[in-house]
Amino acid sequence: MNPIQKFIKNLFAKKRIVGDYAHLEGFIKADTMLNDLVVYKKVPGISITVLKEGKLCYQKGIGYADLEKKTSINTGKTLFRVASVSKPIAATALAHMVKKGSIDLDASFYKYVPYYPKKKWDFTIRQLANHTAGIRGYKGIEYGLNRPYSIKESIAIFKDDDLLFEPGTDYMYNSYGWVLISLAIQEVSGEPFEDYVKQYVLQPLGLTHTVSPNRLVIQEAYDAQFQNEYASFYSKKSKGFRKAISVNNFYKLAGGGYLSTSEDIANFGQAVLNGKLSELGLTKQFLTSEIIAEKKTYYGLGWQVSKDQKGRLFYGHIGNGVGGYANFFVYPHEQMVFAILINCTNPNVQIELDEVISVFLNTFGGKNINRNLNLNHRA
């Protein structure tokens, strides 16, 4: 066994096969960078899944799901808060309703929720979805509410506030717009939003570990089926981490409430590449940036749509919530999907994550995965 083989054996778990050594330099660099985030206490734990052409390129749990118990992370089972990565999931449910003709993107929101207080200007479902409706964002402690609101009850938080601008004239990112979209879906379908998403999005795509919090249960024991699979949620302090404040994210499920695994989120991205979401009604307009005053907003309908520093097109979402941080990116030309979940409120590691993603893209983006290449480390 040569030195490189010995190094790889020590670096990775037993369940792995290493084939193409030409890829190892970039692969090891990315792996080292991710491990350093835990070693230097920048994050408590990371769950990452990277797909290339639908095949596992890299999958690993790093650090801990629970620091005190030293619980390891299972990339296929450990549930993280994915925050705003919930929006592409909700957007898929919206697209499904659009395809069925149940919702018209350019119809007034009031057509579906007539009891919402009238504003100075009308606004559409499309404008809610692309953040051009003028709905405000969080104020003060609203970011970390711990109240068991239903979706309908929660609009009391912001329903009496004026729109920030005339719809269609500006862009203001927020999650309350997606609360309103989920309410519209609920009103039109006649069933709870979470049930609609489960039936028409999660189950058809096999996303068995993407779940909704239970609004009536405080803390993290949301669902008895998964009660032993939730990561503990942390916030950073001057040295190390502390348990994050308790929150109830049920009411903003569509905008930032789902919990999932990196494996499920990556498979969701792969479904986009495979065209499966077209069958559910995901159309090109959902993945096309809105233009305001002749400038791109780099946001479609529930999806961030942009290019990285090297000009590579991607769509997906970044999520940041109490006790959770997420990166979900789909690179269509490179046929790669990235799902990175961290159990910590904004850990300020986006620069490092961008570099990790860039290393993987530079290493594997222009290459085809063949049967001799299975650089997979699954915790």
Side-chain angles (χ1 to χ4, degrees):
M1 183 179 295
N2 64 40
I4 293 179
Q5 290 173 316
K6 289 181 180 179
F7 178 73
I8 295 298
K9 181 178 180 180
N10 292 330
L11 183 62
F12 300 116
K14 295 180 180 179
K15 292 183 179 180
R16 60 96 182 99
I17 303 172
V18 177
D20 188 345
Y21 283 105
H23 297 84
L24 290 181
E25 183 177 355
F27 184 77
I28 294 170
K29 180 180 179 180
D31 187 88
T32 301
M33 292 172 63
L34 289 165
N35 278 278
D36 282 349
L37 292 178
V38 172
V39 170
Y40 293 106
K41 296 184 178 180
K42 292 187 175 183
V43 302
I46 305 171
S47 180
I48 176 172
T49 299
V50 181
L51 302 179
K52 167 69 176 179
E53 297 172 351
K55 300 177 183 178
L56 275 174
C57 177
Y58 180 89
Q59 188 173 51
K60 190 174 184 181
I62 308 168
Y64 296 105
D66 186 286
L67 292 171
E68 291 74 19
K69 297 177 183 178
K70 304 298 182 184
T71 307
S72 61
I73 293 169
N74 185 312
T75 53
K77 292 185 177 181
T78 304
L79 296 170
F80 290 71
R81 288 176 177 156
V82 301
S84 287
V85 171
S86 301
K87 290 182 176 71
I89 296 172
T92 306
L94 173 61
H96 187 270
M97 296 212 83
V98 171
K99 182 180 181 181
K100 291 197 305 181
S102 300
I103 285 182
D104 180 349
L105 287 173
D106 295 309
S108 168
F109 170 71
Y110 294 99
K111 176 180 179 179
Y112 309 109
V113 187
Y115 53 81
Y116 191 75
K118 291 295 190 292
K119 304 301 176 186
K120 181 178 180 180
W121 302 286
D122 194 8
F123 54 92
T124 67
I125 297 293
R126 183 188 301 274
Q127 289 166 338
L128 288 172
N130 62 25
H131 306 293
T132 65
I135 303 296
R136 73 168 177 85
Y138 298 124
K139 288 183 179 179
I141 64 172
E142 291 173 1
Y143 179 71
L145 285 181
N146 192 22
R147 299 176 186 175
Y149 285 124
S150 68
I151 293 172
K152 187 173 183 178
E153 290 169 344
S154 75
I155 65 174
I157 300 170
F158 57 90
K159 68 182 179 65
D160 295 323
D161 294 315
D162 294 333
L163 298 182
L164 299 179
F165 48 80
E166 182 179 354
T169 65
D170 206 347
Y171 171 89
M172 173 65 183
Y173 179 82
N174 69 91
S175 286
Y176 290 147
W178 277 93
V179 171
L180 294 180
I181 290 173
S182 65
L183 181 58
I185 290 174
Q186 196 164 262
E187 293 288 356
V188 172
S189 68
E191 60 183 300
F193 172 73
E194 66 274 20
D195 291 349
Y196 189 89
V197 174
K198 185 174 183 178
Q199 180 179 355
Y200 292 105
V201 180
L202 304 182
Q203 289 179 342
L205 297 180
L207 306 181
T208 58
H209 278 72
T210 301
V211 300
S212 161
N214 184 330
R215 76 179 181 92
L216 299 179
V217 179
I218 307 301
Q219 306 296 335
E220 277 69 57
Y222 298 115
D223 189 324
Q225 179 183 354
F226 301 104
Q227 62 182 341
N228 296 319
E229 297 179 358
Y230 290 91
S232 292
F233 307 119
Y234 298 94
S235 293
K236 295 190 77 171
K237 56 183 183 180
S238 56
K239 292 184 179 180
F241 307 92
R242 58 176 172 79
K243 285 288 182 72
I245 61 172
S246 295
V247 294
N248 191 317
N249 291 328
F250 176 83
Y251 78 92
K252 58 179 180 181
L253 183 59
Y258 275 101
L259 299 101
S260 190
T261 65
S262 67
E263 185 170 292
D264 256 20
I265 296 300
N267 288 338
F268 176 52
Q270 189 61 43
V272 181
L273 290 179
N274 292 345
K276 289 184 179 179
L277 297 195
S278 296
E279 301 169 12
L280 292 177
L282 185 66
T283 58
K284 184 178 179 180
Q285 61 185 322
F286 278 71
L287 300 177
T288 300
S289 173
E290 179 63 38
I291 297 176
I292 299 292
E294 300 183 350
K295 293 183 179 180
K296 288 186 177 181
T297 64
Y298 300 102
Y299 203 96
L301 304 180
W303 293 77
Q304 293 175 340
V305 183
S306 190
K307 293 182 179 180
D308 65 17
Q309 292 184 344
K310 291 195 174 183
R312 293 172 292 213
L313 172 68
F314 69 86
Y315 42 82
H317 224 289
I318 289 177
N320 179 37
V322 175
Y325 192 79
N327 275 197
F328 167 48
F329 300 128
V330 178
Y331 281 79
H333 299 305
E334 291 76 15
Q335 288 288 294
M336 294 192 72
V337 180
F338 298 87
I340 307 174
L341 308 181
I342 296 172
N343 53 338
C344 182
T345 310
N346 190 8
N348 293 312
V349 294
Q350 190 58 51
I351 292 176
E352 291 91 333
L353 297 182
D354 286 344
E355 187 172 352
V356 167
I357 291 169
S358 183
V359 169
F360 276 119
L361 286 166
N362 293 339
T363 304
F364 300 103
K367 301 179 184 299
N368 294 321
I369 296 289
N370 56 50
R371 64 181 181 178
N372 295 319
L373 177 60
N374 182 16
L375 297 177
N376 167 31
H377 182 178
R378 180 172 180 173

